[in-house]
Amino acid sequence: MAIHTVILITLVTLGLACAVYSEWLIKLRFSPTKFTIALRRAPRKDIAIFVVLLLIVFVQQLMRAESPLTGSLLLGLVLLSVWFGWIRQPVALIKAEGIVIKGRFIRWPQISHYQLTKEGVLILQLPREQVIVNATKLEDLERLYRHIIAQPA
């Protein structure tokens, strides 16, 4: 087995694990979810460039008649990229103890400062970094803002 096949197996396995975690397992962690907020996706043209490059590598692999395992792994990587970029809707899960955003759990007391902008962005200031919440609907962001304000200090 070639090194590129091992790398592809690792990438596809990690991608599938991340997909299962972000879609099903993260909802089971911590306390029950109070409500969810749909977040904005990454720019689609960036993902489209990545998918096209993967498809070029896949076609080259087919033309060279290499291992069918490598071809199927490349195709799996293309499908995972399409799922992460276009199909999956990123969400922030609002829990009783905190917020889960981008796979990270932030407890309410960790948020030292927060700011809601007119552009539909909520900036959460943590001790060492900022977390930016880009919601698709301004109403959801205002609901989250009111929920954060209602939390005890």
Side-chain angles (χ1 to χ4, degrees):
M1 189 178 305
I3 188 73
H4 65 275
T5 306
V6 173
I7 292 171
L8 283 173
I9 289 172
T10 305
L11 285 175
V12 170
T13 304
L14 289 174
L16 284 173
C18 184
V20 168
Y21 177 76
S22 69
E23 202 59 36
W24 294 292
L25 297 180
I26 201 162
K27 293 174 184 161
L28 301 175
R29 291 189 68 196
F30 312 110
S31 62
T33 303
K34 290 189 170 190
F35 59 95
T36 61
I37 295 176
L39 301 175
R40 291 185 192 148
R41 291 186 171 109
R44 292 181 187 243
K45 63 182 173 184
D46 296 341
I47 298 160
I49 291 169
F50 181 70
V51 168
V52 167
L53 289 174
L54 278 176
L55 285 173
I56 290 170
V57 172
F58 175 71
V59 169
Q60 285 181 344
Q61 188 273 336
L62 282 178
M63 291 172 66
R64 284 185 274 169
E66 290 183 16
S67 166
L69 176 63
T70 305
S72 59
L73 287 171
L74 281 169
L75 195 57
L77 202 55
V78 167
L79 292 174
L80 277 171
S81 301
V82 167
W83 182 78
F84 274 112
W86 282 305
I87 298 171
R88 182 184 72 106
Q89 175 65 50
V91 294
L93 304 174
I94 312 307
K95 308 276 188 174
E97 295 92 24
I99 181 173
V100 179
I101 183 166
K102 298 176 186 169
R104 180 175 173 206
F105 182 68
I106 302 169
R107 297 190 184 282
W108 298 124
Q110 290 177 324
I111 301 171
S112 60
H113 179 72
Y114 40 86
Q115 177 184 359
L116 181 61
T117 65
K118 294 178 183 176
E119 294 82 23
V121 176
L122 179 65
I123 301 170
L124 305 175
Q125 182 66 45
L126 302 177
R128 294 188 182 139
E129 63 182 310
Q130 285 184 344
V131 176
I132 297 175
V133 182
N134 287 321
T136 56
K137 296 179 184 174
L138 188 59
E139 300 83 34
D140 289 341
L141 211 52
E142 290 171 350
R143 181 178 176 196
L144 173 60
Y145 186 74
R146 287 191 304 272
H147 185 78
I148 291 173
I149 290 173
Q151 296 300 316

